[in-house]
Amino acid sequence: MIEICNLNFSYFGKNSGAIKDINLNISKGEFVLLTGLSGSGKSTLIRVLNGLIPNFYGGRISGSVKVQDMNVFEEKPRILAQKIGMVFQNPENQLFMNNVESELIFGLENIKLSRSKIEKRLNDTIELLGLESMRKRSINSLSGGEKQKVAIGAILAMQPEIFILDEPTSELDPKSAEEILQVVQHLNKKLGITVILIEHRIDRVIEFVDRLIIMKDGQIIQDNKPKQIFHEENNSNKYFIPPIIKLFLEIIKQKNILLKYKISPNDIPINIEECSLILKEFFADLTFNESNIKCLQQNNEKYMQKFLDSTPLIEFTNVNFEYEKNNIILSNINFKAYPGEFIAIIGDNGAGKTTFLKLFNGLLRPKNGSIKIKGKNLKNLSVAQISRDVGYLFQNPSIQFYQDTVREELEVVLRNFKIHSENAKELLEEYSDRLDLKSLLSIYPRYLSYGEQQRAALASMLVIQPKILIMDEPTHGMDSLQKDHFFNYLDEYRKNGNIVILVTHDIESLTKYPERILFFSEGKIILDDFSENVLSHPITSQFTPQINRLIKNFPNLPNKIIKTEELLELIENAEI
Amino acid sequence: MKILQLTYKPKENFIYRSNGVVKIFILLNLFMQSFIFNHPFYLGIIFFNILILVRFSNCWKEILIYFRFMLIISLFTFFINIILYPEGTTIIFQISNDLQLIGGFKITFETLISSLIIILRLTLIFLIFGTFNLIINPDELIQVLVKLKIPHSIVFIITLSLNFFPLILKDLEKIREIQQCKGLELEKGNFFTKFKNNVKLILPLLTNSLERSIQNAEALEARAFDIKGKREFYRTIRIRFSDYFIIIFMIFYLIFQIYLAFQGFGEYIIYPTLPKIFLASLEYYVLFFSLFSNFLIIGLLYLGDKIKK
């Protein structure tokens, strides 16, 4: 269906190729997962498939690309669109109409269908995606997940034979992401549509896909069935291995376990059910001595004691918030945070997480109750004044840059806060060094890669040395390598007596760094506890990490484990 | 996000439910009237008529936001007009000196009145646009344009701009927040520093909109926009008998008003000396008719809605 032969492409004005020597055949009905670190050429490759490259973006191209015997280079993207549907990352920028129904109709009218055909396809699409209840709703009133569903519907209505999705879930919460992925899976399995999906968070989709392609530096470095790929001992894959596969690979390193429980090393489990089936006997035989389990709990108590003597840096007392009268968004929030804490906030969309964050620096003001930062009440301070102590990092880094170079970006912040002369220079040097920005200082910020942008945005916050750093979904769209780096910076920062507070949907990062997690629901803090307690709690089920899900199938294992490493350590010390 | 309240949101009342073409004609009529007449009584009646329309469409709250905004513009216009246009014969206040560059300065009673009339007119036009924004579904507007056989590419541009207005407002709000977090003071300080700092939001807004437009263009290609062939519109607006009746009535009414304007009705000549404000008795009948016809139309809309149900 898709034939790519010796494809090379470099963007206009760049010497190095964005994609190099790609040979790829995709046959009808396949579900292909395309992944790789940021900047590895995934987005470029799919834009070749639907003709946006070279027709929309200029550059040098060679080789050949055929989609159903059509030469892609010669057709306009709008003609190809009838065969190849493409859903983009940001749902907001691909919807044009005022309500859901007109959005679905728009594409159908564009391909000049007759009225009766439009009606049929409209109704089919609505039924297929379950959009009936929002048919007449205005696009502006939809949530992110709903918008993305409509965007998928709008493409689906045009009945393409190939469906390409470019990180469709990166801006969504786990629940909506799950829904979208289910829809995609349905399209592939039930309707036999060929699907090419780009996704960073592999663990959620790996079980549905027929084929996994990993790209690096513009080349395809792995292309096989998922089980095969993880089976091979290959270092270049290490950023993409889902937790349960990682666990499995570690366990089978011990030959005696393999022999005793007759586990075949080729039989890589790709979902929790498979994993628990394969490791069932092994896990059932594990017995732990009390001291091991106690050790985990003791750690928790020690953590609590750390703060007994210190004064809180942040103090919320009985805070309520509402946008309009009688529409309460946050009610009765009491919260304290101490220097050195790393706190994550989780919860459904609309639970009040972002509202809560915006109270920290006065972007929103509470209806009643008091908020104190470093002992000062925020009531009469402006956002700019509070920002001296509270840095706030927004979700999308690129919209945070307005200057011509990264250096100016940092200088403006220093100037705004009236940090002048020598001191400013030193700070700029220090933070650009610490965040590896030295070589990027004279580049236009929006030209940077995603990870670099996020680092530059972080630098522009840290350069004034705030005591508290607030972040709203900082990791969305980052690959695992970037995430690791990013969190390492944060960890270092909070160890200097600062506080990091972030909202995130990224479950695997949640297991690694934050020590304390708040769970929000309907404007209230429902849980405020150590991360393992919150993530293993039944009411946060949609945030439960893979390892914890696995463990819950085995009552003899301590049920609060959330990290792969933790479980492995426990297994090492256990008696078989 | 107060500004977002000013866009169309469906409401349950007969004005919102009624046909878009009819509503466009009603507002167009009011709009033309506020242009062709300048007598304060006439403008007053138009003002009253708009308020009645707003009352029945139940959007007081939103209109009040427009009012507040209008107040600032009005004050500004008022003073500028008084200072820059000192015509007329009835002088209230005068500084006469022989400075050659500036000359003397005076305020006349005529300017005062004419400024008030200008403000009233501006407010009317602003209110009509506001009501238009609130009670007319953009989708319906698009369908009307399609019905009028306007080329689809133009209709599409209008759709796009209508739908992106709220998005751009959201962008602006976000940029405000980001800049404040970067230490830009927008809450404290005197009027001029605040104004100066607010100007710093405009460039980012442009950059963001440009970036958005590239993504939009990509997405448009993916939706097969602008390929050759005859486009068949799935949804077209249906105009019923009672709607036709109102539209035809509105057209004749408008022609009648223009005729009246040519006959000198509703004209108030301010300069050089302000005349008496009272009208000839015939003109009061015209005013009464204007009021009556407004109620008649609203009544017809109500009836039409009842019949449809």
Side-chain angles (χ1 to χ4, degrees), chain A residues 180-221:
Chain A
I180 294 294
L181 292 173
Q182 246 149 36
V183 167
V184 175
Q185 190 201 358
H186 180 84
L187 298 183
N188 176 258
K189 295 280 170 317
K190 297 275 157 60
L191 306 181
I193 298 175
T194 313
V195 174
I196 301 174
L197 174 70
I198 296 188
E199 180 67 63
H200 279 310
R201 286 175 269 186
I202 304 179
D203 48 306
R204 292 195 299 210
V205 273
I206 192 82
E207 52 182 309
F208 315 134
V209 303
D210 304 316
R211 189 168 164 189
L212 174 63
I213 297 178
I214 302 180
M215 287 185 74
K216 191 187 178 188
D217 299 331
Q219 283 169 316
I220 291 176
I221 52 165

CSV table of all heavy atoms in Angstrom, one decimal, chain A residues 180-221:
chain,number,residue,atom,x,y,z
A,180,ILE,N,-9.3,7.8,23.0
A,180,ILE,CA,-8.8,8.1,21.6
A,180,ILE,C,-8.1,6.8,21.1
A,180,ILE,O,-8.3,6.4,19.9
A,180,ILE,CB,-7.9,9.3,21.6
A,180,ILE,CG1,-8.6,10.6,22.0
A,180,ILE,CG2,-7.2,9.4,20.2
A,180,ILE,CD1,-9.7,11.0,21.0
A,181,LEU,N,-7.2,6.2,21.9
A,181,LEU,CA,-6.5,5.1,21.4
A,181,LEU,C,-7.4,3.9,21.1
A,181,LEU,O,-7.2,3.1,20.2
A,181,LEU,CB,-5.4,4.7,22.4
A,181,LEU,CG,-4.3,5.7,22.5
A,181,LEU,CD1,-3.4,5.3,23.7
A,181,LEU,CD2,-3.5,5.8,21.2
A,182,GLN,N,-8.5,3.8,21.9
A,182,GLN,CA,-9.5,2.7,21.7
A,182,GLN,C,-10.2,3.0,20.3
A,182,GLN,O,-10.4,2.0,19.6
A,182,GLN,CB,-10.5,2.7,22.8
A,182,GLN,CG,-10.3,1.4,23.5
A,182,GLN,CD,-10.7,1.5,25.0
A,182,GLN,OE1,-11.6,2.3,25.3
A,182,GLN,NE2,-10.0,0.8,25.9
A,183,VAL,N,-10.5,4.2,20.0
A,183,VAL,CA,-11.1,4.5,18.8
A,183,VAL,C,-10.2,4.1,17.6
A,183,VAL,O,-10.6,3.5,16.7
A,183,VAL,CB,-11.4,6.0,18.7
A,183,VAL,CG1,-11.8,6.4,17.3
A,183,VAL,CG2,-12.6,6.4,19.6
A,184,VAL,N,-8.9,4.5,17.8
A,184,VAL,CA,-8.0,4.2,16.7
A,184,VAL,C,-7.8,2.7,16.5
A,184,VAL,O,-7.8,2.2,15.4
A,184,VAL,CB,-6.6,4.8,17.1
A,184,VAL,CG1,-5.5,4.4,16.0
A,184,VAL,CG2,-6.7,6.3,17.1
A,185,GLN,N,-7.8,1.9,17.6
A,185,GLN,CA,-7.7,0.5,17.5
A,185,GLN,C,-8.9,-0.1,16.8
A,185,GLN,O,-8.8,-1.0,16.0
A,185,GLN,CB,-7.6,0.0,19.0
A,185,GLN,CG,-7.2,-1.5,19.0
A,185,GLN,CD,-7.6,-2.1,20.4
A,185,GLN,OE1,-8.1,-1.4,21.2
A,185,GLN,NE2,-7.4,-3.4,20.5
A,186,HIS,N,-10.1,0.5,17.2
A,186,HIS,CA,-11.3,0.0,16.6
A,186,HIS,C,-11.3,0.2,15.1
A,186,HIS,O,-11.7,-0.7,14.3
A,186,HIS,CB,-12.4,0.8,17.2
A,186,HIS,CG,-13.8,0.5,16.7
A,186,HIS,ND1,-14.5,-0.5,17.2
A,186,HIS,CD2,-14.5,1.1,15.7
A,186,HIS,CE1,-15.7,-0.6,16.6
A,186,HIS,NE2,-15.7,0.3,15.7
A,187,LEU,N,-10.8,1.4,14.6
A,187,LEU,CA,-10.7,1.6,13.2
A,187,LEU,C,-9.9,0.6,12.5
A,187,LEU,O,-10.2,0.2,11.4
A,187,LEU,CB,-10.1,3.0,12.9
A,187,LEU,CG,-10.8,4.2,13.5
A,187,LEU,CD1,-10.1,5.5,13.1
A,187,LEU,CD2,-12.2,4.3,13.0
A,188,ASN,N,-8.8,0.2,13.1
A,188,ASN,CA,-7.9,-0.7,12.5
A,188,ASN,C,-8.4,-2.1,12.5
A,188,ASN,O,-8.5,-2.8,11.5
A,188,ASN,CB,-6.5,-0.7,13.3
A,188,ASN,CG,-5.6,-1.7,12.8
A,188,ASN,OD1,-5.4,-2.8,13.4
A,188,ASN,ND2,-5.0,-1.4,11.6
A,189,LYS,N,-8.9,-2.6,13.6
A,189,LYS,CA,-9.4,-4.0,13.8
A,189,LYS,C,-10.7,-4.2,13.1
A,189,LYS,O,-10.9,-5.2,12.4
A,189,LYS,CB,-9.5,-4.4,15.2
A,189,LYS,CG,-8.1,-4.4,16.0
A,189,LYS,CD,-7.3,-5.6,15.7
A,189,LYS,CE,-5.9,-5.7,16.1
A,189,LYS,NZ,-5.0,-4.5,16.0
A,190,LYS,N,-11.7,-3.3,13.2
A,190,LYS,CA,-13.0,-3.5,12.7
A,190,LYS,C,-13.1,-3.1,11.2
A,190,LYS,O,-13.8,-3.7,10.5
A,190,LYS,CB,-14.1,-2.8,13.6
A,190,LYS,CG,-14.1,-3.3,15.0
A,190,LYS,CD,-15.0,-4.5,15.1
A,190,LYS,CE,-14.7,-5.3,16.4
A,190,LYS,NZ,-14.9,-4.6,17.6
A,191,LEU,N,-12.5,-2.0,10.9
A,191,LEU,CA,-12.7,-1.4,9.6
A,191,LEU,C,-11.6,-1.7,8.6
A,191,LEU,O,-11.6,-1.5,7.4
A,191,LEU,CB,-13.0,0.1,9.6
A,191,LEU,CG,-14.1,0.6,10.5
A,191,LEU,CD1,-14.2,2.1,10.4
A,191,LEU,CD2,-15.4,0.0,10.2
A,192,GLY,N,-10.5,-2.3,9.2
A,192,GLY,CA,-9.4,-2.7,8.4
A,192,GLY,C,-8.6,-1.5,7.8
A,192,GLY,O,-7.9,-1.6,6.8
A,193,ILE,N,-8.7,-0.3,8.5
A,193,ILE,CA,-8.0,0.8,8.0
A,193,ILE,C,-6.5,0.7,8.4
A,193,ILE,O,-6.2,0.3,9.5
A,193,ILE,CB,-8.6,2.1,8.5
A,193,ILE,CG1,-10.0,2.3,8.0
A,193,ILE,CG2,-7.7,3.3,8.1
A,193,ILE,CD1,-10.7,3.5,8.6
A,194,THR,N,-5.6,1.0,7.5
A,194,THR,CA,-4.2,1.0,7.8
A,194,THR,C,-3.9,2.2,8.7
A,194,THR,O,-4.3,3.3,8.4
A,194,THR,CB,-3.3,1.2,6.6
A,194,THR,OG1,-3.8,0.3,5.6
A,194,THR,CG2,-1.9,0.9,6.8
A,195,VAL,N,-3.2,2.0,9.9
A,195,VAL,CA,-3.0,3.1,10.8
A,195,VAL,C,-1.5,3.2,11.0
A,195,VAL,O,-0.8,2.3,11.3
A,195,VAL,CB,-3.7,2.8,12.2
A,195,VAL,CG1,-3.3,3.9,13.2
A,195,VAL,CG2,-5.2,2.7,12.0
A,196,ILE,N,-1.0,4.5,10.9
A,196,ILE,CA,0.3,4.8,11.3
A,196,ILE,C,0.2,5.8,12.5
A,196,ILE,O,-0.3,6.9,12.3
A,196,ILE,CB,1.1,5.4,10.2
A,196,ILE,CG1,1.1,4.5,9.0
A,196,ILE,CG2,2.6,5.8,10.6
A,196,ILE,CD1,1.8,5.1,7.7
A,197,LEU,N,0.8,5.4,13.6
A,197,LEU,CA,0.6,6.2,14.8
A,197,LEU,C,2.0,6.6,15.4
A,197,LEU,O,2.9,5.8,15.5
A,197,LEU,CB,-0.1,5.4,15.9
A,197,LEU,CG,-0.3,6.0,17.3
A,197,LEU,CD1,-1.3,7.1,17.3
A,197,LEU,CD2,-0.8,4.9,18.2
A,198,ILE,N,2.1,7.9,15.6
A,198,ILE,CA,3.3,8.4,16.3
A,198,ILE,C,3.0,8.6,17.8
A,198,ILE,O,2.0,9.2,18.1
A,198,ILE,CB,3.8,9.7,15.7
A,198,ILE,CG1,4.2,9.5,14.3
A,198,ILE,CG2,5.0,10.3,16.5
A,198,ILE,CD1,4.9,10.7,13.7
A,199,GLU,N,3.8,8.0,18.6
A,199,GLU,CA,3.4,8.1,20.0
A,199,GLU,C,4.7,8.0,20.9
A,199,GLU,O,5.5,7.1,20.6
A,199,GLU,CB,2.4,7.1,20.4
A,199,GLU,CG,1.9,7.0,21.8
A,199,GLU,CD,1.1,8.2,22.2
A,199,GLU,OE1,0.0,8.4,21.6
A,199,GLU,OE2,1.5,8.9,23.1
A,200,HIS,N,4.8,8.8,21.9
A,200,HIS,CA,6.0,8.7,22.8
A,200,HIS,C,5.8,7.6,23.9
A,200,HIS,O,6.7,6.9,24.3
A,200,HIS,CB,6.3,10.0,23.5
A,200,HIS,CG,7.1,10.9,22.6
A,200,HIS,ND1,8.2,10.5,21.9
A,200,HIS,CD2,6.9,12.2,22.2
A,200,HIS,CE1,8.7,11.5,21.2
A,200,HIS,NE2,7.9,12.5,21.4
A,201,ARG,N,4.5,7.6,24.4
A,201,ARG,CA,4.3,6.7,25.5
A,201,ARG,C,3.8,5.4,25.0
A,201,ARG,O,2.7,5.1,24.8
A,201,ARG,CB,3.2,7.4,26.4
A,201,ARG,CG,3.8,8.5,27.2
A,201,ARG,CD,2.8,9.2,28.0
A,201,ARG,NE,2.2,10.3,27.2
A,201,ARG,CZ,1.4,11.2,27.8
A,201,ARG,NH1,1.0,11.1,29.0
A,201,ARG,NH2,0.9,12.2,27.1
A,202,ILE,N,4.9,4.5,24.7
A,202,ILE,CA,4.6,3.3,24.0
A,202,ILE,C,3.8,2.3,24.8
A,202,ILE,O,3.0,1.6,24.3
A,202,ILE,CB,6.0,2.6,23.7
A,202,ILE,CG1,6.8,3.6,23.0
A,202,ILE,CG2,5.8,1.3,23.0
A,202,ILE,CD1,8.2,3.0,22.6
A,203,ASP,N,4.0,2.3,26.2
A,203,ASP,CA,3.4,1.3,27.0
A,203,ASP,C,1.8,1.2,26.8
A,203,ASP,O,1.2,0.2,27.0
A,203,ASP,CB,3.7,1.5,28.5
A,203,ASP,CG,3.5,2.9,28.9
A,203,ASP,OD1,4.1,3.8,28.3
A,203,ASP,OD2,2.8,3.1,29.9
A,204,ARG,N,1.2,2.3,26.4
A,204,ARG,CA,-0.2,2.3,26.3
A,204,ARG,C,-0.7,1.7,25.0
A,204,ARG,O,-1.8,1.2,24.9
A,204,ARG,CB,-0.7,3.8,26.3
A,204,ARG,CG,-0.6,4.4,27.7
A,204,ARG,CD,-1.4,5.6,27.8
A,204,ARG,NE,-1.0,6.6,26.8
A,204,ARG,CZ,-1.1,7.9,27.0
A,204,ARG,NH1,-1.6,8.3,28.1
A,204,ARG,NH2,-0.7,8.7,26.0
A,205,VAL,N,0.1,1.7,24.0
A,205,VAL,CA,-0.4,1.2,22.7
A,205,VAL,C,0.3,-0.1,22.2
A,205,VAL,O,-0.2,-0.7,21.3
A,205,VAL,CB,-0.2,2.3,21.6
A,205,VAL,CG1,-1.3,3.2,21.6
A,205,VAL,CG2,1.1,3.0,21.7
A,206,ILE,N,1.4,-0.4,22.9
A,206,ILE,CA,2.2,-1.5,22.3
A,206,ILE,C,1.4,-2.8,22.1
A,206,ILE,O,1.7,-3.5,21.1
A,206,ILE,CB,3.4,-1.8,23.3
A,206,ILE,CG1,4.5,-2.6,22.6
A,206,ILE,CG2,3.0,-2.3,24.6
A,206,ILE,CD1,5.4,-1.9,21.7
A,207,GLU,N,0.4,-3.0,22.9
A,207,GLU,CA,-0.3,-4.3,22.8
A,207,GLU,C,-1.2,-4.4,21.6
A,207,GLU,O,-1.6,-5.4,21.1
A,207,GLU,CB,-1.1,-4.6,24.1
A,207,GLU,CG,-2.0,-3.5,24.5
A,207,GLU,CD,-2.7,-3.9,25.8
A,207,GLU,OE1,-3.3,-4.9,25.8
A,207,GLU,OE2,-2.7,-3.1,26.8
A,208,PHE,N,-1.6,-3.2,21.0
A,208,PHE,CA,-2.5,-3.3,19.8
A,208,PHE,C,-1.7,-3.4,18.5
A,208,PHE,O,-2.3,-3.7,17.5
A,208,PHE,CB,-3.3,-2.0,19.7
A,208,PHE,CG,-3.9,-1.5,21.0
A,208,PHE,CD1,-3.9,-0.2,21.3
A,208,PHE,CD2,-4.6,-2.4,21.8
A,208,PHE,CE1,-4.5,0.3,22.5
A,208,PHE,CE2,-5.2,-2.0,23.0
A,208,PHE,CZ,-5.1,-0.6,23.3
A,209,VAL,N,-0.4,-3.0,18.5
A,209,VAL,CA,0.2,-2.7,17.2
A,209,VAL,C,0.8,-4.0,16.6
A,209,VAL,O,1.2,-4.9,17.3
A,209,VAL,CB,1.3,-1.6,17.3
A,209,VAL,CG1,0.7,-0.4,17.8
A,209,VAL,CG2,2.4,-2.1,18.1
A,210,ASP,N,0.8,-4.0,15.3
A,210,ASP,CA,1.4,-5.1,14.6
A,210,ASP,C,2.9,-4.9,14.4
A,210,ASP,O,3.6,-5.9,14.2
A,210,ASP,CB,0.8,-5.3,13.2
A,210,ASP,CG,-0.7,-5.4,13.2
A,210,ASP,OD1,-1.2,-6.1,14.1
A,210,ASP,OD2,-1.4,-4.7,12.5
A,211,ARG,N,3.3,-3.7,14.4
A,211,ARG,CA,4.6,-3.4,13.9
A,211,ARG,C,5.2,-2.2,14.6
A,211,ARG,O,4.4,-1.2,14.8
A,211,ARG,CB,4.6,-3.2,12.4
A,211,ARG,CG,5.9,-3.1,11.7
A,211,ARG,CD,5.6,-3.2,10.3
A,211,ARG,NE,6.7,-2.7,9.5
A,211,ARG,CZ,6.7,-2.5,8.2
A,211,ARG,NH1,5.5,-2.7,7.5
A,211,ARG,NH2,7.7,-2.1,7.5
A,212,LEU,N,6.4,-2.2,15.1
A,212,LEU,CA,7.0,-1.1,15.8
A,212,LEU,C,8.2,-0.6,15.0
A,212,LEU,O,9.1,-1.4,14.6
A,212,LEU,CB,7.4,-1.5,17.2
A,212,LEU,CG,8.2,-0.5,18.0
A,212,LEU,CD1,7.3,0.7,18.3
A,212,LEU,CD2,8.6,-1.1,19.3
A,213,ILE,N,8.2,0.7,14.6
A,213,ILE,CA,9.3,1.2,13.9
A,213,ILE,C,10.0,2.3,14.8
A,213,ILE,O,9.3,3.2,15.3
A,213,ILE,CB,8.9,1.9,12.6
A,213,ILE,CG1,8.3,0.8,11.7
A,213,ILE,CG2,10.1,2.6,11.9
A,213,ILE,CD1,7.8,1.4,10.4
A,214,ILE,N,11.3,2.1,15.0
A,214,ILE,CA,12.0,3.1,15.8
A,214,ILE,C,12.9,3.9,14.9
A,214,ILE,O,13.7,3.3,14.1
A,214,ILE,CB,12.8,2.4,17.0
A,214,ILE,CG1,11.8,1.6,17.9
A,214,ILE,CG2,13.5,3.5,17.8
A,214,ILE,CD1,12.5,0.9,19.0
A,215,MET,N,12.9,5.2,15.0
A,215,MET,CA,13.7,6.0,14.2
A,215,MET,C,14.8,6.7,15.1
A,215,MET,O,14.6,7.0,16.2
A,215,MET,CB,12.9,7.1,13.5
A,215,MET,CG,12.1,6.5,12.3
A,215,MET,SD,11.3,7.8,11.4
A,215,MET,CE,12.6,8.5,10.5
A,216,LYS,N,15.9,7.0,14.4
A,216,LYS,CA,17.0,7.7,15.1
A,216,LYS,C,17.8,8.5,14.1
A,216,LYS,O,18.2,8.0,13.0
A,216,LYS,CB,17.9,6.8,15.9
A,216,LYS,CG,18.9,7.4,16.8
A,216,LYS,CD,19.8,6.4,17.4
A,216,LYS,CE,20.8,7.2,18.3
A,216,LYS,NZ,21.9,6.3,18.7
A,217,ASP,N,18.0,9.8,14.3
A,217,ASP,CA,18.7,10.7,13.4
A,217,ASP,C,18.3,10.5,11.9
A,217,ASP,O,19.1,10.4,11.0
A,217,ASP,CB,20.2,10.3,13.5
A,217,ASP,CG,20.7,10.6,14.9
A,217,ASP,OD1,20.2,11.5,15.6
A,217,ASP,OD2,21.7,9.9,15.3
A,218,GLY,N,17.0,10.4,11.7
A,218,GLY,CA,16.5,10.4,10.3
A,218,GLY,C,16.5,9.0,9.7
A,218,GLY,O,16.2,8.9,8.5
A,219,GLN,N,16.9,8.0,10.5
A,219,GLN,CA,17.0,6.7,9.9
A,219,GLN,C,16.1,5.7,10.7
A,219,GLN,O,15.9,6.0,11.9
A,219,GLN,CB,18.4,6.2,9.8
A,219,GLN,CG,19.2,6.8,8.7
A,219,GLN,CD,20.7,6.5,8.9
A,219,GLN,OE1,21.2,6.6,10.0
A,219,GLN,NE2,21.3,6.1,7.8
A,220,ILE,N,15.7,4.7,10.0
A,220,ILE,CA,14.9,3.6,10.7
A,220,ILE,C,15.9,2.7,11.3
A,220,ILE,O,16.7,2.1,10.6
A,220,ILE,CB,14.0,2.9,9.8
A,220,ILE,CG1,12.9,3.8,9.3
A,220,ILE,CG2,13.4,1.7,10.4
A,220,ILE,CD1,11.9,3.3,8.3
A,221,ILE,N,16.0,2.6,12.6
A,221,ILE,CA,17.0,1.7,13.2
A,221,ILE,C,16.3,0.3,13.6
A,221,ILE,O,17.0,-0.6,13.8
A,221,ILE,CB,17.7,2.3,14.4
A,221,ILE,CG1,16.7,2.9,15.4
A,221,ILE,CG2,18.7,3.4,13.9
A,221,ILE,CD1,17.4,3.2,16.7
